Amino acid sequence: MNKTLRFWILTLTTFTMIAILSSSLFSSYLVTKKSLIEKSLEQNEVYALKLSKMSEEVFKAMQANLDARKPDVIEHIDNPEELTKILDQLLISGKNFNSLSVIGKDSVAIATSPNVGITGKKIESPGVKEALQKKEGIITKPYKAMTGRLLILVSTPLFDDSNTYLGMLNGTIYLQEDNFIQNILAEHFSEDGSYVFVVDEQGTLIYHPDKTRIGENVSENSAIQSILNKKNGAQEIYNTKGVHLLAGYSYIPESKWGVVSQTPYASSLQPLSGIMTKMFFYSLPFVILFFMLAYLLSEKLASPLKNLAISTMNSHLEDVSVEKLQISKWYFEAKQLTETMESYRKLQEEMVANFKDLSLTDPLTGLKNRRYSELFFAELLEQNNSFSIISIDIDHFKQVNDQFGHQTGDETLQFLASKMMSNVSEKDVCVRLGGEEFIIILPNCSLDEAYILAEKFRNEIENSVLPMNRKMTISAGVGEYKANKENVSELVNRVDEALYMAKSEGRNKTVISN
């Protein structure tokens, strides 16, 4: 039996709807997948950079602590008991060393804290030999000490007033025991299988969540190769175990180490199936509505030909006149079908536009996200507009999550976002970069105006009471874009440095970036 025109119209309509829905979902799948990968790479790179800066500051502080006690050590170089007291005090105040020692120029250990059984013995370990040979402050490669521990030595030389070399003051970090590196890196901000590890300048693991791997050389890893070339960045990699990962990495100049923050590829794409399922069910009502409309319109479209076919079957061909054909109705019905298709196309465009808007918005706070800030910066540069930015970070935010839970942490972020929006004008853009990090982009705003706004906002937050009935403070960095002298990345880094300075100077403070 021959199929009717209505059958073929409905078949074509059904095929068209499936094709449009499939292509829309497939293109959305590709865009969302790319966005999730880029977001994960970006977050890991920023996190690795943040951790490397923290580690670098700790190393500077450790070296400074050793240098600060050098005069006392030199003064009592011949008094082991007094030296032990000095080392005990330094160990308690420094908090970053696992042990301390004073070793003479003859390699003999004069004093240690705590007592690890090497006092009075000649130390032949590689790190001690290297420090005695160079007679300068160094951070050694990992090596096994006389005690059997895998450690790193932070050393500073000792010279008397006549510049005679007396030996060295050392601090040690036990790599396979609790140490400051673990305190900084042990818990990744993302609880999706992500983790952080640290390598030295040879690609040897100094820190890894799996302590059995500490001391293993992973220089074959492509991210480690970039670190060995003193580069920062992010990339997709397969680690030495063959696992597909999204890694961000950063080089630490002070110690010549590298920090790698990485997320399993599968974990980064885990939200993808849920997003696509939501998109499908959001589209389904429109598809059903369109099919019902097509069903009704197909009857109208087929009716003239159907009537003509019946008429032809029941009469002779010569009895059919031109007036009875009424061909003009075809154009009218075709016009209606075209308008219906156009309506459906616009509906799909609106959906895609809505998805695009969602991709530029932080779902938790309703502020714009990092991707939107990049587009907005590009627009400001294209228009050659001057602008300033305020970088904001919540002080001790981790304590909020630890004490009150992540739900309260989310409410805190939403509270800050609401306060932020109430302090800016319509032309200003508030952005959540991730975690507790925010920026405010202020077009056509001078540095002084930006600083005044930042201080006003900081004071308001300080005097506000959060939903959990506690106080909160923020630290901020402020900077103005210097046209033809720097790019946006350099501006953001400069303002971030001002923010870190505000934190290092006690928090609850606004610092202007020069």
Side-chain angles (χ1 to χ4, degrees):
M1 181 179 179
N2 293 332
K3 303 297 183 182
T4 64
L5 175 62
R6 188 180 188 191
F7 170 83
W8 290 114
I9 292 173
L10 290 175
T11 300
L12 178 61
T13 302
T14 302
F15 176 79
T16 302
M17 287 190 299
I18 293 175
I20 293 175
L21 181 61
S22 299
S23 62
S24 297
L25 290 176
F26 182 68
S27 60
S28 298
Y29 170 85
L30 295 178
V31 171
T32 305
K33 178 181 178 181
K34 183 179 179 182
S35 176
L36 290 173
I37 291 174
E38 291 178 349
K39 179 181 178 182
S40 183
L41 287 170
E42 194 172 47
Q43 287 179 338
N44 279 316
E45 180 180 0
V46 171
Y47 192 58
L49 180 61
K50 182 176 181 179
L51 292 178
S52 69
K53 288 184 177 179
M54 291 172 61
S55 301
E56 187 171 10
E57 290 300 321
V58 172
F59 274 117
K60 290 180 179 178
M62 292 165 69
Q63 199 72 53
N65 285 341
L66 292 178
D67 290 339
R69 298 309 301 266
K70 281 170 61 174
D72 296 334
V73 172
I74 293 171
E75 181 182 350
H76 299 92
I77 193 69
D78 296 323
N79 188 341
E81 291 185 4
E82 191 63 31
L83 285 180
T84 301
K85 293 179 181 180
I86 294 172
L87 295 182
D88 289 341
Q89 294 172 357
L90 181 56
L91 187 64
I92 294 172
S93 62
K95 297 183 180 180
N96 293 321
F97 295 113
N98 293 101
S99 67
L100 293 161
S101 64
V102 177
I103 298 178
K105 61 182 180 180
D106 56 358
S107 298
V108 175
I110 302 173
T112 64
S113 178
N115 186 358
V116 292
I118 63 172
T119 303
K121 296 181 180 179
K122 190 169 184 177
I123 311 301
E124 300 288 346
S125 59
V128 173
K129 287 182 177 180
E130 180 184 359
L132 289 173
Q133 181 182 4
K134 291 184 177 180
K135 296 182 176 61
E136 61 184 28
I138 63 169
I139 300 174
T140 68
K141 303 171 186 176
Y143 68 91
K144 276 205 171 182
M146 291 178 58
T147 58
R149 291 185 172 97
L150 184 65
L151 56 81
I152 290 170
L153 189 72
V154 181
S155 174
T156 186
L158 301 173
F159 293 92
D160 61 16
D161 294 337
S162 60
N163 205 31
T164 300
Y165 182 64
L166 303 176
M168 58 184 179
L169 172 61
N170 307 311
T172 54
I173 303 168
Y174 299 157
L175 296 179
Q176 293 177 318
E177 300 178 23
D178 290 339
N179 56 59
F180 89 93
I181 304 175
Q182 293 183 16
N183 295 336
I184 295 176
L185 307 178
E187 185 175 348
H188 197 281
F189 76 94
S190 179
E191 299 178 354
D192 57 359
S194 301
Y195 63 94
V196 176
F197 65 89
V198 181
V199 296
D200 68 2
E201 57 184 319
Q202 303 298 323
T204 301
L205 286 172
I206 293 173
Y207 167 77
H208 194 281
D210 182 1
K211 292 184 179 181
T212 61
R213 297 192 61 187
I214 294 176
E216 177 183 337
N217 189 281
V218 292
S219 57
E220 294 181 1
N221 186 308
S222 58
I224 304 305
Q225 289 293 324
S226 298
I227 289 176
L228 297 181
N229 291 322
K230 303 180 180 180
K231 294 180 180 179
N232 301 331
Q235 64 186 75
E236 290 188 45
I237 64 168
Y238 287 88
N239 66 8
T240 54
K241 304 296 183 181
V243 180
H244 194 183
L245 299 162
L246 301 176
Y249 47 88
S250 180
Y251 177 72
I252 309 175
E254 184 74 16
S255 59
K256 299 180 182 178
W257 294 356
V259 178
V260 180
S261 172
Q262 55 188 22
T263 301
Y265 183 86
S267 296
S268 297
L269 297 184
Q270 191 172 8
L272 187 58
S273 60
I275 294 173
M276 297 310 300
T277 301
K278 287 182 180 179
M279 291 176 64
F280 173 78
F281 283 109
Y282 288 158
S283 304
L284 192 58
F286 299 102
V287 174
I288 294 173
L289 177 63
F290 180 74
F291 185 84
M292 294 175 61
L293 184 61
Y295 182 86
L296 297 174
L297 289 177
S298 66
E299 175 64 27
K300 284 189 176 183
L301 186 61
S303 179
L305 283 183
K306 180 180 179 181
N307 293 334
L308 177 60
I310 294 174
S311 177
T312 302
M313 290 173 60
N314 296 330
S315 63
H316 296 290
L317 184 60
E318 58 269 19
D319 292 335
V320 180
S321 63
V322 176
E323 290 76 16
K324 290 182 180 179
L325 296 178
Q326 297 180 343
I327 297 176
S328 60
K329 288 187 177 181
W330 282 93
Y331 297 97
F332 175 76
E333 298 296 334
K335 179 175 178 293
Q336 297 305 310
L337 182 59
T338 302
E339 290 179 352
T340 303
M341 292 293 292
E342 179 66 17
S343 174
Y344 184 77
R345 184 187 65 80
K346 290 180 179 179
L347 197 60
Q348 291 296 309
E349 289 179 349
E350 291 174 359
M351 290 176 61
V352 172
N354 184 46
F355 293 142
K356 182 179 180 182
D357 181 65
L358 290 176
S359 72
L360 299 175
T361 303
D362 175 50
L364 177 63
T365 62
L367 303 181
K368 297 300 181 182
N369 61 16
R370 181 185 295 274
R371 178 168 294 278
Y372 182 89
S373 70
E374 294 172 352
L375 298 174
F376 191 63
F377 279 135
E379 180 181 339
L380 291 174
L381 294 179
E382 183 178 356
Q383 297 174 357
N384 200 26
N385 284 345
S386 63
F387 61 94
S388 297
I389 65 172
I390 303 173
S391 182
I392 298 169
D393 192 280
I394 301 176
D395 296 332
H396 303 298
F397 181 69
K398 185 176 183 300
Q399 295 180 4
V400 176
N401 284 330
D402 292 343
Q403 295 179 16
F404 303 97
H406 289 282
Q407 177 65 34
T408 300
D410 290 347
E411 293 176 359
T412 301
L413 295 174
Q414 292 168 343
F415 175 82
L416 180 66
S418 174
K419 288 291 185 180
M420 193 180 301
M421 291 297 295
S422 66
N423 275 273
V424 300
S425 64
E426 294 182 357
K427 64 182 178 64
D428 303 328
V429 175
C430 299
V431 179
R432 182 191 178 199
L433 297 178
E436 69 273 24
E437 299 177 2
F438 300 81
I439 62 170
I440 302 176
I441 307 173
L442 307 166
N444 300 316
C445 180
S446 68
L447 183 62
D448 290 341
E449 292 171 333
Y451 177 77
I452 292 172
L453 176 60
E455 276 294 277
K456 175 187 174 185
F457 181 56
R458 184 187 63 76
N459 287 325
E460 182 175 341
I461 292 298
E462 183 182 8
N463 294 318
S464 298
V465 178
L466 273 68
M468 74 290 295
N469 197 29
R470 67 185 295 272
K471 292 286 187 177
M472 175 180 72
T473 62
I474 59 172
S475 298
V478 180
E480 183 178 14
Y481 175 66
K482 303 298 184 183
N484 303 321
K485 293 184 180 180
E486 62 180 351
N487 56 40
V488 172
S489 179
E490 290 170 339
L491 169 64
V492 173
N493 289 339
R494 178 162 59 81
V495 175
D496 280 345
E497 290 176 1
L499 171 60
Y500 295 141
M501 183 179 296
K503 283 188 168 293
S504 66
E505 293 178 357
R507 296 181 172 84
N508 192 22
K509 184 176 182 179
T510 301
V511 173
I512 295 177
S513 171
N514 295 319

